[in-house]
Amino acid sequence: MQLLKVYYAYFSPGNTTEKVLSQIALSFENYPVESINLTSYDERQQEHHFKENELLIIGVPAYGGRVPVPVVDALSRFSGLNTPVVLVATYGNRDIDDTLMELKKNVTDKGFIPIGAASFVCQHTFLKECAEGRPDEEDLKMAKEFGDKLKERLRLLVTYDASNLEVPGNKM
């Protein structure tokens, strides 16, 4: 697949999800890369349209094992055109539960094709002692390695031939 641009969209009240996504995006330094900060109310109100030869990496913290409500609302204004998407969930040292499954559901019916998914431990937004200091140097190294693997996968990918990506969670 020939990429023309990479976007990474994140909801990150504690700045930890943003740290993880920016590390993943570093793997695509040879492409134009643009961030979309969904933590900003004004940004969540914007329409975002993506093309087939673009990549969207979207990351959210798990709130009670779900995608935060403001993100679900923001995703209603996203549209793709057979656009590859990578799903990332961060969590405060407990579990992501259905977060990736819900995130996948919220993008596949809008023209996106999930091609990868990952979860990373990050310091809890409200209970700072949970996973304190995460993502740490090792976590960020793993995020960069994940990005490198995505880049290679995309090099070999034909989006119409992408299989249904399996993610953890209960069917909704």
Side-chain angles (χ1 to χ4, degrees):
M1 166 175 215
Q2 181 65 33
L3 277 182
L4 296 181
K5 190 166 185 178
V6 175
Y7 295 87
Y8 67 101
Y10 58 89
F11 183 77
S12 188
N15 295 321
T16 55
T17 302
E18 188 273 334
K19 285 179 186 176
V20 170
L21 262 64
S22 65
Q23 284 299 303
I24 295 169
L26 280 177
S27 296
F28 298 93
E29 62 191 2
N30 296 335
Y31 300 92
V33 176
E34 183 178 323
S35 66
I36 301 170
N37 183 355
L38 297 176
T39 316
S40 161
Y41 175 82
D42 291 339
E43 188 64 48
R44 289 195 307 269
Q45 306 313 305
Q46 302 299 313
E47 298 277 333
H48 294 280
H49 306 282
F50 303 91
K51 300 174 186 148
E52 186 173 33
N53 53 356
E54 297 173 333
L55 170 67
L56 174 62
I57 305 166
I58 185 161
V60 300
Y63 279 14
R66 306 300 299 265
V67 174
V69 172
V71 177
V72 173
D73 182 53
L75 291 175
S76 70
R77 289 180 275 289
F78 276 50
S79 65
L81 182 63
N82 293 323
T83 306
V85 64
V86 176
L87 314 170
V88 178
T90 61
Y91 61 103
N93 211 27
R94 190 181 76 71
D95 196 356
I96 61 165
D97 294 320
D98 301 329
T99 306
L100 287 173
M101 179 76 65
E102 184 179 0
L103 194 56
K104 178 183 173 186
K105 181 182 179 291
N106 275 283
V107 297
T108 52
D109 61 353
K110 293 176 181 63
F112 294 92
I113 300 171
I115 57 122
S119 61
F120 293 88
V121 175
C122 290
Q123 184 169 318
H124 196 282
T125 302
F126 306 114
L127 303 170
K128 301 294 185 195
E129 63 277 2
C130 288
E132 189 172 1
R134 307 277 301 267
D136 58 20
E137 189 176 311
E138 188 62 30
D139 296 320
L140 296 176
K141 180 181 172 192
M142 288 179 7
K144 174 68 168 71
E145 289 171 358
F146 177 66
D148 292 343
K149 290 177 182 175
L150 286 171
K151 187 176 176 182
E152 180 61 18
R153 176 162 166 65
L154 281 163
R155 189 180 70 76
L156 303 171
L157 181 72
V158 178
T159 54
Y160 63 80
D161 199 27
S163 62
N164 185 22
L165 181 70
E166 294 290 325
V167 295
N170 294 309
K171 300 248 188 252
M172 294 178 216

